[in-house]
Amino acid sequence: MKAHLEFLPKAQISWQFLLRELDEIPFEWHFHPEYELTFSINSIGKRYIGDNIEEYSDNDLTLIGPNLPHTWHSQSKLDANKPISVIVLWFSHHWIESVTALFPEFDLLKEKLNQAHQGIQFSQDIARYLRPRFIEMIQADEARKLTLLLEVLVCLQNEPHKKLASSKFHSQQTSASQQRRLSQVLFWVHDRFADNIQLVDAAKVGAMSTSHFVRFFKANMHQSFNQYLNEVRIGHACSLLISSEQPVALIAEKSGFSNQSNFNRQFKNFKHLSPLQFRQQWRNKRP
């Protein structure tokens, strides 16, 4: 369960639209510096947002902030004869900041964007109401896609939502040069989390002194490097506990913990359950 840094396709437009039609949504743990608004159709499974793991279903509407690792993992379809459809809208902080500065009607959206750094889920009621607009985007030209996106954002800025990841995942906005360095470090962490990672090694990846790196990471990710590393490791362990029958000791090793007692302690600290209790809780949720 290694998260990869996702590079979005470049185009002559100010934001990106993607339609994915799949038989199943694979587990693709990833992150990127853009905001992501995702609408899932004909799919039931589990959603992983930072340290949050929840079940999702049809009409799942979620807004994800920059650098927040996430994925969906489908388990079934509502209609077996139709594909799973996932509509994904990406936009940069610079673009959405320009929109909110240009149009005072979007003033309330600023707080939604701030909350999205932890990931937010909108209600089924507003998702069903907006579904025709998302569907229309599929065949619309670029100009119409843009007006539909603005319509969606106008609606969402007034809607209640549920926060998903803990406040530890609330990253800050960064300059382009800082984002490049941060992306390098985050990619390296998600690729090597099972190894014996040291703070000095992470500082070298970011081409900084250790003291500078400590301040840089805390300022941009709202938590210490070691806290973030443990969150990533625990997230990986959660996915293995849910999706496999592997023994806890092996899962601890695959998740980067040198001994099981430390793993159990860290897991309980983050999840308030032992690994076995967590696994049993998810088994009890199965239909």
Side-chain angles (χ1 to χ4, degrees), residues 2-8 28-34 66-69 179-188 190-191:
K2 294 181 177 180
H4 62 275
L5 170 61
E6 188 164 73
F7 294 96
L8 306 187
E28 295 177 337
W29 192 230
H30 67 285
F31 63 95
H32 41 72
E34 293 81 10
N67 298 316
L68 180 60
Q179 181 61 56
R180 283 193 294 271
R181 284 193 175 190
L182 183 61
S183 293
Q184 281 183 309
V185 172
L186 295 180
F187 177 83
W188 179 78
H190 286 273
D191 189 54

Side-chain angles (χ1 to χ4, degrees), residues 50-51 66-69 117-118 165-172 182 185-186 189-190 199 213-233 269-270:
D51 58 353
N67 298 316
L68 180 60
H117 286 259
Q118 295 170 243
S166 69
S167 59
K168 302 167 192 172
F169 277 89
H170 195 299
S171 62
Q172 301 298 310
L182 183 61
V185 172
L186 295 180
V189 168
H190 286 273
L199 182 62
F213 176 75
V214 168
R215 295 191 297 271
F216 170 83
F217 197 91
K218 185 68 177 288
N220 285 284
M221 294 302 292
H222 220 59
Q223 60 180 311
S224 74
F225 173 76
N226 285 332
Q227 286 173 323
Y228 184 82
L229 176 58
N230 277 331
E231 290 278 3
V232 171
R233 287 171 167 170
N269 181 47
F270 283 110

Side-chain angles (χ1 to χ4, degrees), residues 150-164:
L150 296 178
E151 287 178 29
V152 167
L153 293 176
V154 166
C155 291
L156 293 182
Q157 71 172 347
N158 296 304
E159 284 297 310
H161 64 265
K162 180 177 75 173
K163 282 194 222 179
L164 299 174

Side-chain angles (χ1 to χ4, degrees), residues 107-127:
D107 191 57
L108 293 177
L109 185 60
K110 296 175 184 177
E111 181 56 26
K112 280 286 187 292
L113 296 170
N114 184 53
Q115 299 290 326
H117 286 259
Q118 295 170 243
I120 55 178
Q121 179 194 13
F122 295 97
S123 71
Q124 281 282 308
D125 287 343
I126 190 63

